[in-house]
Amino acid sequence: MTKENYLEPRKIAIIGDRFMKTEIFKEHLEKTCGNNHLFKELELPWPDEPMEHGYEKPGMAGLKEYMGDPDEIVRFIADSEIVVDHLAPFSAKMFDRLKDLRLIAVSRGGPVNIDMEAARKSNVKVVNVPGRNASAVAEFTIGAILAETRLIRMGHESLRKGTWRGDLYRADVTGKELSQMTVGLIGYGHIGTRVVKLLKPFGCQIVVCDPYVELSEEDKENDVQQVDLDSLLNKSDVVSLHSRVTKETTGFINREAFQKMKKGAYFINTARGPMVDYQALTDALTSGHLRGAMLETFGIEPVPPDWPLLKLENVTLTPHIAGASLRTVEYAAEQAAEEVQRYLSGKSPLNPC
């Protein structure tokens, strides 16, 4: 008996974009759940157009970042029972209008585009894909550390402008190797643990700070040390941020935190912007207290064109692309399809929100 004839056809709305493609969602849904379901597809223009933020729009306060007009999304979903989504919003008012909706499979690490309290009140199950881009972000983090510590960005920028920086070979200018450094990771979840695995072959000392996790036996065998935040900031030549944004972590990498870091240290942020005080970071870089920084995410995206950090020579900046990889797309679509199949079969979800 095939999937096609043992599962009753259901109405499934797919809302993708130009990263999480609708056709990839559908391909995995058909493979996992059968092709007899009533699929409908909508593509949103992200990342060619920026996301919106719930605090900026009336009626969207339960959401952090999202894309899509609520009325258009409701009209598209209509009487669908299941939605497979990436960025489309789901606010309290939208749930009131989506009477037939029972499951949202959101292909993100966290359901920040969904009002979860409203979802529970409306009896709509929400599942997600934790760690979907952990591998991509971990790889990117290693590249960010090397770009800063080995002066790759500095050499590139000067040569692109026509200047041959032979002085970068000077002993008082060149960078240390990772084997000479201590790297500190703030936050030790899906991404942080992968970063450690990638760092180990470099031979650096690794310290981590995360009050909500315990080190594994493998970590202990590999001499990974768990320390408090102050100790990490004081010891580390490189500080890499991998926490989630919460009330506790919003703005916690502040002026005091930068002052506690070693003179000449590097700061890497491939996590989220709201955790960082950017004026304090600018001052730490301008004064020379920090030798460099690599920033992948920001408090406001896109960043303003007159932003002071854009003008500093000791900063590498990228437009929130660390999690962008084809593996992320395929893995997230595969896991979302698996959650839909479990719902259709009456099984418990793997990753309920």
Side-chain angles (χ1 to χ4, degrees), residues 286-335:
T286 303
S287 70
H289 181 68
L290 295 185
R291 188 175 188 189
M294 192 286 162
L295 307 176
E296 149 67 6
T297 61
F298 310 92
I300 299 174
E301 297 179 358
V303 296
D306 59 348
W307 203 38
L309 275 168
L310 295 177
K311 298 173 174 59
L312 296 184
E313 294 185 355
N314 54 346
V315 183
T316 300
L317 305 164
T318 52
H320 203 152
I321 57 173
S325 76
L326 293 178
R327 181 189 181 279
T328 297
V329 176
E330 293 288 348
Y331 177 76
E334 177 186 280
Q335 293 301 301

Side-chain angles (χ1 to χ4, degrees), residues 228-292:
D228 60 33
L229 181 59
D230 283 354
S231 296
L232 184 146
L233 295 172
N234 291 329
K235 291 181 178 181
S236 301
D237 299 287
V238 177
V239 173
S240 188
L241 185 58
H242 301 285
S243 304
R244 282 192 176 276
V245 178
T246 64
K247 289 182 179 179
E248 179 185 9
T249 62
T250 297
F252 83 123
I253 305 300
N254 53 21
R255 190 171 301 278
E256 183 181 359
F258 288 122
Q259 289 173 348
K260 290 177 180 177
M261 290 175 62
K262 280 185 177 182
K263 181 174 174 56
Y266 300 88
F267 176 67
I268 311 293
N269 185 11
T270 56
R272 281 293 188 271
M275 293 184 283
V276 180
D277 179 336
Y278 286 99
Q279 184 57 57
L281 175 58
T282 301
D283 293 343
L285 289 163
T286 303
S287 70
H289 181 68
L290 295 185
R291 188 175 188 189

Side-chain angles (χ1 to χ4, degrees), residues 50-335:
M51 286 183 276
E52 296 186 81
H53 301 277
Y55 59 81
E56 296 177 336
K57 297 282 184 176
M60 307 297 280
L63 289 68
K64 291 183 180 177
E65 55 186 32
Y66 66 92
M67 165 163 277
D69 177 77
D71 291 332
E72 292 179 5
I73 298 299
V74 168
R75 284 194 294 269
F76 170 74
I77 295 171
D79 60 348
S80 297
E81 177 184 355
I82 299 165
V83 172
V84 177
D85 180 37
H86 184 216
L87 295 176
F90 287 89
S91 66
K93 290 182 179 180
M94 293 172 68
F95 280 115
D96 289 341
R97 298 165 63 188
L98 295 169
K99 301 299 184 183
D100 297 297
L101 182 60
R102 291 294 172 265
L103 175 71
I104 303 172
V106 60
S107 61
R108 301 180 58 124
V112 296
N113 51 322
I114 299 172
D115 185 328
M116 288 302 303
E117 182 178 353
R120 286 186 283 269
K121 288 180 179 178
S122 299
N123 197 30
V124 176
K125 293 181 181 179
V126 179
V127 295
N128 68 328
V129 185
R132 62 160 188 163
N133 60 9
S135 177
V137 176
E139 285 187 0
F140 193 95
T141 300
I142 301 302
I145 293 172
L146 291 172
E148 286 304 306
T149 62
R150 298 309 309 279
L151 310 185
I152 295 171
R153 181 259 311 147
M154 190 178 295
H156 163 75
E157 288 288 349
S158 61
L159 196 56
R160 190 163 58 89
K161 295 174 182 176
T163 301
W164 182 271
R165 289 285 305 273
D167 64 303
L168 296 182
Y169 218 105
R170 287 174 45 152
D172 59 342
V173 177
T174 192
K176 293 179 180 179
E177 295 183 14
L178 278 174
S179 61
Q180 301 173 281
M181 296 187 182
T182 296
V183 179
L185 307 185
I186 303 173
Y188 200 51
H190 291 284
I191 295 169
T193 53
R194 283 172 169 80
V195 171
V196 165
K197 285 182 170 60
L198 295 177
L199 278 174
K200 286 306 298 179
F202 289 96
C204 51
Q205 177 64 53
I206 300 171
V207 296
V208 301
C209 173
D210 191 325
Y212 302 104
V213 301
E214 293 185 7
L215 295 186
S216 67
E217 289 303 316
E218 182 182 1
D219 285 330
K220 295 174 183 177
E221 290 171 5
N222 287 327
D223 296 323
V224 177
Q225 297 178 22
Q226 189 163 18
V227 298
D228 60 33
L229 181 59
D230 283 354
S231 296
L232 184 146
L233 295 172
N234 291 329
K235 291 181 178 181
S236 301
D237 299 287
V238 177
V239 173
S240 188
L241 185 58
H242 301 285
S243 304
R244 282 192 176 276
V245 178
T246 64
K247 289 182 179 179
E248 179 185 9
T249 62
T250 297
F252 83 123
I253 305 300
N254 53 21
R255 190 171 301 278
E256 183 181 359
F258 288 122
Q259 289 173 348
K260 290 177 180 177
M261 290 175 62
K262 280 185 177 182
K263 181 174 174 56
Y266 300 88
F267 176 67
I268 311 293
N269 185 11
T270 56
R272 281 293 188 271
M275 293 184 283
V276 180
D277 179 336
Y278 286 99
Q279 184 57 57
L281 175 58
T282 301
D283 293 343
L285 289 163
T286 303
S287 70
H289 181 68
L290 295 185
R291 188 175 188 189
M294 192 286 162
L295 307 176
E296 149 67 6
T297 61
F298 310 92
I300 299 174
E301 297 179 358
V303 296
D306 59 348
W307 203 38
L309 275 168
L310 295 177
K311 298 173 174 59
L312 296 184
E313 294 185 355
N314 54 346
V315 183
T316 300
L317 305 164
T318 52
H320 203 152
I321 57 173
S325 76
L326 293 178
R327 181 189 181 279
T328 297
V329 176
E330 293 288 348
Y331 177 76
E334 177 186 280
Q335 293 301 301

